Amino acid sequence: ASLRRPQFDAHSGCARSRDRRRARHSRRFPRRVPDSPGDLLLPRFAHMPAAMRRESPAGATDHYRPACPGLYATSAAGEAETVFTPAQLQKMDFHVECHLSTAFVTVNTTWVVPGSLLKSAKNDGKKGNITFAMPVTEQTTVTGVSAQMSNKRFASGVMPNKDTKNMKGTRFGRNTAAPLPAHPELFAISIPGVPAGETVHVQATYFTPLDFENGAYVFRAPTRLPTGCISPNTPLTKVLSVMATARSAYSEQVQVMSPTHPVTLVQAGAGVTQVQLDPIKREKWQNTEFVMVMPVWGGDIAAAGVQQPPAPGDPDRRHAFAIAIAPPKPEAVNPFPRDVIFLLDRSGSMGGGPMDAARAALIAGLKDLTPNDRFNICAFDNLQIFFDQEGLTNATNEAKDAALRWVNVNCQARGTTDIMTPLARALELFSAQPNPGAVPMVFVITDGAVEDEREICTFVERAFKNGGADPAAMLPRVNTFGIGRYANHYFLKMLAGIGRGMNGAAYSPETVEKKMFDLLRASKTPILTNIAVGIPQSAQGVEILPFPVPDLFAGAPVMISGKCVGGLPATIEIQGRVAGGAVWQRSIPVALDLQNNALSIPLDKVFVKQRIDMMTARAWLTQEKHLEQQVIDLSLKHGVPCAHTKLCAFEISLKNETAMKNQKASGGAVSVAKYAVGGAAGVMVIGAMAGGFGDVGASLSNAGGMIANAGSMIGSIDIGGIDVPDLSCIAECAADAPCIEPIMGCVEPLAGCVEPLVGAAGECLEPLIGAVGSVVEVVGNMIGGN
């Protein structure tokens, strides 16, 4: 590839340079569907000898995104794409536990790896790397991955960030402590040294919040098998199985159904239902994702609780409890009117896809407003402009049409980011135009981090404390939506928690519109506000999350988790306010769940991600190190990676694996370096796409924080005679790059950091900028990006 210096623009910086490079690349290499496997090579690789190209087994079809957890050979394909060619599947087994609003999944797969998948520039197909890839969502938390072969095994564990500095991943062909690149839609890890014809067993564990759609919790499992992974004559029933258990807080049997597969009942009891794929009705099986639906909507608000005593040996002797509040059908209630103010970030980093998607979601949200609602819109960067400078506007059809035109004109990317000023102004508008009986809501939508985030939280917290003396008062609800990796997602979680609102996030351009609209749609129909839980004053060691308790909406049930010494009484009181201001109050049962043979996940772990996220946000806000340590301890206890810990993979012997499991069972601290083959240097740190603490510098330089598509970031790319191992091309070719997570992050922030230097130092820095620009361009080309 030729070396070209990026063109910087004083107004849009690296975003303009990135767009120009993409335009040039698109003109040279237009996206198209390949006609043959040979066409899957980038033009700059077309001259490579056939022996240096990775082969696909006969009859296999190339895929640009893995549809199920499995072993794949990966290779570059066209513009910013990766081909995933599957190995031969022997068995895939999903074990699912849906606890209230969270699904815990263990997937076991067995594959045979043909030698044809292992051919590359470095070997002749007798041994090589194979990639385990699994589709995930932005809210999925992978808690473990392990692999077993005839003479080798790999395991994983969670380690504090401070203990990973000497972990270089040498057993995986890497030599860097930087985390393995991660993507919000794909979990992938390379398994090294796999012999041709080897049988590989891979287990992955993860959990994810259930979707709530049309009055039901929905679980989806990625069970669609790629073409070529099994013989055409092999029935799905021979290789695929799903066992799924649904658990609720209510005493009634949980309703379970699947619109995609026939299921049969395994067992059912109070609050628990277990089903499996029906092997008898094999003719009705389809090769698609497995979907399980658990209806919630009823004729009235329903609430119930469940609790568990601590496990033997657990140093935390408090009972864990959960309280579920389910909404009725929207037509069964009289919803609150709403006062809604949308605050949309239009800073320069939002340019292109993010702004287009956010604008589309905002327009859809405007159309969702009812005649009983009032609204306003603010487009903000370092300046602000309101749709109605005086206050809130009745949501008539004429006003909404005018707002749609206003959005298209004024919501265009420019400037930097100031959140405090428009947020303070929005709260002033609510105070200046009170609307008794309405629920005031503000939506903060941003892709940036700002320097005064703690001051913003303190300001909102103080404002709410001053206005919240009256339990009947309807304080504004602050909802937040973070876009990309440069937003401080823990600030946005904290702000939403303080403001009794909802929080959402999107990391890739393709998901912004849907995720943002999901948040707006979930808040469309408020049903119960100012919810309070009647925990006895005598209770000790009480912890309750989220606090304050958010409102109940038709599109968003309320899940409350907590702990207290000795547990809750058999019944507790819950109260709130319904539309019109009347008090709603119920005595609800709290069942004692001691043990169920269909369940293996303790109640304490069901909401551990919620606890970790809110504790992390609180530790960030207060800057108290002891809170940060509590987060680390909780993460290690439950094996759930977080902002202060990382999931690590390592090779391990059978003897050491047994010893490590015994140490975990005894409750002792586990150091994976002690058990790993090759010690700390052999351990590989796996990246995490959970929302981070943001990047103020990147935001100030208007660097785009969106994650590129998985195809441009995942895979092995054969360049000349150099075979770059799966998922580690940057470690091999640019090991000194500090921003390796995610891969594409090493291009844009670097350009953004150089741009200010140009203005400060003038032409004396031109040679340096040219050199850095050349490195950026080379790295971008090697990744397969633009």
Side-chain angles (χ1 to χ4, degrees):
S2 61
L3 304 183
R4 299 184 303 277
R5 197 168 88 192
Q7 301 297 311
F8 293 100
D9 182 275
H11 298 288
S12 58
C14 63
R16 180 74 56 84
S17 172
R18 180 187 67 241
D19 292 342
R20 288 174 176 171
R21 290 197 302 274
R22 287 177 176 170
R24 290 197 300 268
H25 191 94
S26 297
R27 288 194 295 269
R28 287 183 293 146
F29 307 136
R31 184 185 298 271
R32 63 186 178 89
V33 178
D35 297 319
S36 66
D39 290 337
L40 294 172
L41 294 171
L42 286 171
R44 63 178 181 272
F45 301 145
H47 66 279
M48 293 167 48
M52 296 172 62
R53 302 175 187 170
R54 193 183 298 279
E55 297 180 3
S56 298
T61 300
D62 294 312
H63 300 273
Y64 295 103
R65 188 69 58 86
C68 70
L71 295 183
Y72 300 86
T74 57
S75 54
E79 178 194 351
E81 292 289 0
T82 296
V83 172
F84 291 83
T85 306
Q88 299 300 301
L89 175 64
Q90 306 298 300
K91 185 66 177 175
M92 179 178 297
D93 174 35
F94 278 83
H95 181 82
V96 184
E97 293 187 18
C98 295
H99 293 260
L100 291 91
S101 59
T102 305
F104 292 80
V105 182
T106 299
V107 55
N108 289 286
T109 63
T110 302
W111 302 81
V112 174
V113 182
S116 56
L117 293 186
L118 302 175
K119 287 187 178 180
S120 66
K122 280 189 176 180
N123 64 79
D124 58 3
K126 294 181 180 180
K127 180 181 289 188
N129 292 0
I130 196 78
T131 296
F132 173 75
M134 178 173 66
V136 295
T137 71
E138 294 171 336
Q139 294 181 296
T140 300
T141 300
V142 178
T143 55
V145 60
S146 62
Q148 295 183 20
M149 295 178 278
S150 56
N151 62 351
K152 190 180 292 187
R153 58 206 309 120
F154 296 89
S156 64
V158 177
M159 295 296 296
N161 290 349
K162 62 182 178 62
D163 294 343
T164 64
K165 59 183 178 181
N166 294 322
M167 296 178 177
K168 306 294 185 181
T170 57
R171 301 299 295 182
F172 296 84
R174 308 184 84 222
N175 189 27
T176 174
L180 192 71
H183 193 275
E185 299 171 6
L186 183 69
F187 175 86
I189 182 173
S190 181
I191 302 174
V194 180
E198 178 69 274
T199 298
V200 184
H201 305 274
V202 184
Q203 181 185 88
T205 57
Y206 65 92
F207 63 86
T208 184
L210 297 173
D211 295 325
F212 190 77
E213 301 173 0
N214 298 317
Y217 282 115
V218 180
F219 167 74
R220 293 178 172 87
T223 56
R224 184 173 66 82
L225 306 184
T227 304
C229 74
I230 61 174
S231 167
N233 298 323
T234 302
L236 292 174
T237 52
K238 186 175 180 179
V239 296
L240 177 65
S241 67
V242 177
M243 179 75 73
T245 306
R247 166 192 186 174
S248 77
Y250 306 98
S251 58
E252 299 84 5
Q253 179 179 329
V254 182
Q255 297 183 54
V256 173
M257 59 191 72
S258 172
T260 58
H261 292 75
V263 295
T264 183
L265 183 67
V266 177
Q267 60 174 305
V272 177
T273 298
Q274 187 176 59
V275 298
Q276 66 177 0
L277 292 185
D278 191 340
I280 298 177
K281 300 178 181 178
R282 53 188 293 177
E283 72 281 355
K284 294 185 178 180
W285 282 37
Q286 300 179 23
N287 187 22
T288 185
E289 68 174 1
F290 171 74
V291 179
M292 186 170 74
V293 178
M294 294 147 281
V296 170
W297 277 352
D300 197 0
I301 299 173
V306 62
Q307 61 182 330
Q308 267 184 356
D314 189 339
D316 187 349
R317 303 311 299 163
R318 296 177 297 171
H319 282 55
F321 64 82
I323 298 168
I325 308 176
K329 298 176 182 179
E331 57 269 23
V333 295
N334 178 31
F336 287 83
R338 298 182 302 162
D339 283 351
V340 183
I341 300 180
F342 303 98
L343 306 181
L344 178 60
D345 185 348
R346 63 170 182 179
S347 58
S349 56
M350 285 283 288
M355 178 56 77
D356 293 342
R359 190 166 48 237
L362 175 57
I363 289 173
L366 288 170
K367 292 179 179 179
D368 252 1
L369 294 172
T370 72
N372 295 324
D373 299 331
R374 299 189 305 174
F375 75 98
N376 203 340
I377 312 165
C378 173
F380 70 91
D381 42 79
N382 51 304
L383 302 173
Q384 305 83 36
I385 179 171
F386 280 82
F387 168 70
D388 186 337
Q389 299 294 336
E390 302 301 323
L392 291 114
T393 300
N394 292 324
T396 63
N397 290 334
E398 294 76 15
K400 290 194 288 184
D401 289 341
L404 299 183
R405 294 190 295 270
W406 185 92
V407 166
N408 285 321
V409 171
N410 292 281
C411 294
Q412 306 293 335
R414 42 154 282 177
T416 54
T417 307
D418 172 18
I419 297 176
M420 172 73 91
T421 305
L423 180 57
R425 177 58 178 158
L427 299 184
E428 289 176 2
L429 292 179
F430 289 133
S431 298
Q433 288 185 293
N435 186 11
V439 179
M441 298 180 179
V442 58
F443 289 88
V444 180
I445 303 150
T446 181
D447 76 333
V450 292
E451 294 179 333
D452 59 347
E453 290 165 340
R454 291 185 175 87
E455 289 78 4
I456 294 171
C457 289
T458 302
F459 164 75
V460 174
E461 199 165 31
R462 186 181 301 116
F464 284 10
K465 285 182 178 178
N466 293 339
D470 181 3
M474 190 71 72
L475 298 174
R477 273 46 176 163
V478 180
N479 304 277
T480 59
F481 188 82
I483 299 175
R485 64 187 183 278
Y486 294 150
N488 185 343
H489 292 273
Y490 287 105
F491 155 63
L492 296 175
K493 287 178 187 289
M494 191 76 244
L495 186 59
I498 294 170
R500 216 165 190 158
M502 302 181 190
N503 168 254
Y507 297 91
S508 59
E510 296 81 6
T511 61
V512 172
E513 182 177 349
K514 180 184 183 304
K515 294 288 187 180
M516 180 175 158
F517 181 66
D518 285 347
L519 180 71
L520 299 178
R521 173 56 61 87
S523 63
K524 179 181 178 180
T525 311
I527 293 176
L528 187 67
T529 65
N530 293 13
I531 298 173
V533 180
I535 296 178
Q537 293 184 352
S538 59
Q540 297 181 346
V542 176
E543 178 184 358
I544 184 169
L545 291 172
F547 187 82
V549 179
D551 299 329
L552 177 68
F553 295 83
V558 171
M559 286 290 174
I560 304 166
S561 64
K563 288 194 159 193
C564 67
V565 176
L568 298 176
T571 59
I572 60 171
E573 298 292 321
I574 292 184
Q575 72 173 29
R577 290 187 178 270
V578 294
V583 175
W584 177 94
Q585 185 167 341
R586 294 286 189 279
S587 293
I588 68 165
V590 181
L592 184 61
D593 185 358
L594 295 175
Q595 187 176 5
N596 188 294
N597 60 5
L599 302 169
S600 62
I601 303 298
L603 190 61
D604 187 24
K605 191 172 182 176
V606 171
F607 294 100
V608 67
K609 182 67 163 58
Q610 182 186 50
R611 290 181 66 201
I612 286 175
D613 283 351
M614 292 310 299
M615 289 171 63
T616 302
R618 177 60 65 178
W620 163 83
L621 177 63
T622 62
Q623 297 180 286
E624 297 180 19
K625 286 297 181 182
H626 77 278
L627 292 179
E628 185 177 305
Q629 187 58 49
Q630 289 178 13
V631 172
I632 294 172
D633 293 342
L634 190 61
S635 170
L636 299 179
K637 174 183 176 181
H638 292 285
V640 175
C642 68
H644 302 294
T645 62
K646 285 287 189 294
L647 184 66
C648 301
F650 49 94
E651 186 179 346
I652 191 170
S653 66
L654 177 60
K655 178 181 177 181
N656 280 357
E657 186 176 41
T658 302
M660 188 177 71
K661 289 180 179 178
N662 291 338
Q663 185 172 359
K664 283 183 178 179
S666 67
V670 176
S671 172
V672 298
K674 174 183 176 181
Y675 299 100
V677 176
V683 180
M684 180 170 63
V685 182
I686 300 176
M689 277 313 307
F693 296 103
D695 189 326
V696 174
S699 297
L700 289 173
S701 65
N702 279 330
M706 301 309 297
I707 305 299
N709 67 58
S712 68
M713 300 173 58
I714 306 297
S716 76
I717 303 175
D718 293 338
I719 305 175
I722 303 174
D723 183 39
V724 184
D726 298 299
L727 295 167
S728 57
C729 60
I730 294 302
E732 291 280 329
C733 304
D736 292 333
C739 40
I740 195 170
E741 182 190 9
I743 297 179
M744 293 302 291
C746 66
V747 179
E748 294 173 5
L750 185 56
C753 293
V754 171
E755 182 197 355
L757 296 178
V758 178
E763 294 186 0
C764 66
L765 285 176
E766 283 289 320
L768 174 62
I769 298 167
V772 173
S774 298
V775 172
V776 171
E777 191 72 11
V778 171
V779 172
N781 287 334
M782 292 174 65
I783 294 169
N786 305 305

